[in-house]
Amino acid sequence: MQELNQARLRYMHEVIVCGSVRGAAEKLDMSASVISRQIQLLEQEVGLPLFERRARGLVPTEAAEMLEEFLRGYRAQHEHLQDRLQALRGMRRGHVDISLSEGMIEPLMTHVLGPYCLEFPNIRIGINTASVDEVVEMVRTDRAHIGLAFNPPSHPDVRIRARRHIPVGVLVRAGHPLARRRKGVPPAELLRYPLALMTAPYGLRRIVDMLEFSEKIHLSPALTTNSLGVLRQYALSGAGVVLMANLGGGPELANGDLVLVPIDHPLMRQAEMQLMARLGRPLSTAAAELLRRIESRLPLFAKPQ
């Protein structure tokens, strides 16, 4: 097979993303007929059809998915070459994209990103807060160089660079009956109180689903949200209790307005915060340096001196 035309691969990628030739044409400000012709020429190059027309639009074939994977690898290698050359000029340019769980924003900014940005002011940083599934997917598809997620699903293309067990407990307002408990709270006792939970795609909710299955109970939340801040405010209001990892209590936990009580179940001690990168991805100098600093300077992962 002859060398693939990079422009045609780009047109194919945009059709995959947009779901139609017309959508890709509008995004690229080109004629739809030009893109259709280039897709046809690319199909001739590879000797296979690249799209199937279905009710919801154009769907990529297995051949198109293989070409898309090749294009991601090519772009990653090209980015790596650019950043290696930039490193010779003292990291005066570059970018790093991070996808992470909301609860990690404050410690990451305080201990790692703030000092990093001061030292390398010309490195552009992109931060995206997302559910654990989205964090894993962004790392897997090279939309994020680095991922930080609580209790994420495993994926063969994603390498765990560091991990730390983070217990999940019951977050309550000071003065709540559970706040006086010295021992862990049995899971069944959670049924006695109004409860707030994270929504399904998040790591906190995944561990709750496992607890329900293990204990054969059903926790019916009075409130669901994708925001840790909302959960903290719900507990602070005294309206009910919240299941929370031992890093998301905020200043209210530090000053005693909120109390995090352990849950008496081994599953609640097995959840993890994980630092991730795609397996086999050659990271840029800027991304590799930031990853090294997260491993060594973020208190969650750093080894005691």
Side-chain angles (χ1 to χ4, degrees):
M1 184 178 70
Q2 62 184 0
E3 184 176 351
L4 294 171
N5 185 290
Q6 294 296 316
R8 291 169 187 164
L9 287 173
R10 181 190 173 207
Y11 298 147
M12 179 204 70
H13 167 76
E14 296 299 342
V15 172
I16 291 174
V17 171
C18 297
S20 68
V21 171
R22 183 175 298 277
E26 291 177 356
K27 181 177 179 180
L28 297 173
D29 194 23
M30 296 179 62
S31 166
S33 61
V34 171
I35 293 181
S36 292
R37 177 56 180 163
Q38 293 303 309
I39 296 295
Q40 292 173 2
L41 291 173
L42 184 57
E43 288 178 327
Q44 292 175 16
E45 287 183 36
V46 300
L48 291 164
L50 298 178
F51 293 96
E52 296 176 4
R53 186 173 297 278
R54 298 182 185 174
R56 64 177 184 271
L58 293 179
V59 177
T61 64
E62 185 176 357
E65 291 174 349
M66 292 176 66
L67 290 178
E68 180 78 352
E69 182 180 357
F70 166 81
L71 182 61
R72 286 200 304 266
Y74 170 82
R75 287 177 171 176
Q77 292 288 345
H78 187 260
E79 178 188 20
H80 182 52
L81 174 60
Q82 287 183 315
D83 281 312
R84 286 180 63 192
L85 295 174
Q86 289 163 5
L88 296 177
R89 297 190 291 270
M91 287 180 64
R92 291 194 295 268
R93 295 178 59 191
H95 78 279
V96 185
D97 292 314
I98 307 169
S99 183
L100 75 168
S101 297
E102 179 188 353
M104 290 304 299
I105 294 175
E106 185 175 346
L108 185 67
M109 289 299 304
T110 301
H111 298 283
V112 181
L113 273 181
Y116 182 92
C117 291
L118 286 171
E119 188 173 348
F120 304 109
N122 294 320
I123 301 297
R124 293 178 290 110
I125 306 292
I127 298 178
N128 179 278
T129 58
S131 71
V132 290
D133 290 346
E134 291 169 335
V135 172
V136 171
E137 184 64 11
M138 291 187 74
V139 171
R140 185 189 72 82
T141 57
D142 291 344
R143 287 178 288 162
H145 299 89
I146 299 168
L148 266 170
F150 178 70
N151 204 39
S154 61
H155 194 285
D157 294 339
V158 175
R159 178 187 176 191
I160 301 172
R161 296 291 302 259
R163 64 203 315 162
R164 173 75 177 272
H165 285 293
I166 305 294
V168 175
V170 186
L171 189 69
V172 296
R173 187 172 69 173
H176 189 280
L178 291 180
R180 298 188 294 271
R181 297 292 291 267
R182 293 291 182 264
K183 296 182 179 180
V185 176
E189 192 168 343
L190 298 173
L191 299 172
R192 297 174 53 190
Y193 303 98
L195 179 69
L197 294 176
M198 290 292 278
T199 49
Y202 289 81
L204 274 169
R205 188 56 180 266
R206 292 181 67 244
I207 200 71
V208 171
D209 292 342
M210 294 168 63
L211 178 68
E212 289 180 311
F213 180 81
S214 172
E215 292 298 299
K216 297 180 174 57
I217 60 175
H218 176 64
L219 300 174
S220 180
L223 180 147
T224 57
T225 179
N226 64 354
S227 167
L228 292 177
V230 170
L231 291 182
R232 288 196 299 269
Q233 290 302 313
Y234 181 81
L236 198 59
S237 73
V241 304
V242 170
L243 294 188
M244 180 75 76
N246 193 18
L247 55 75
E252 300 88 354
L253 187 61
N255 63 28
D257 293 331
L258 292 174
V259 179
L260 189 65
V261 184
I263 298 175
D264 186 18
H265 197 281
L267 278 174
M268 299 295 99
R269 298 187 290 272
Q270 292 176 8
E272 292 184 331
M273 182 63 69
Q274 296 182 2
L275 175 65
M276 299 169 286
R278 180 171 70 79
L279 184 67
R281 182 180 188 181
L283 291 178
S284 66
T285 303
E289 174 61 17
L290 182 54
L291 182 63
R292 184 191 68 78
R293 293 187 182 207
I294 294 173
E295 290 176 310
S296 62
R297 301 185 184 183
L298 192 66
L300 192 65
F301 301 126
K303 296 179 181 178
Q305 299 296 320

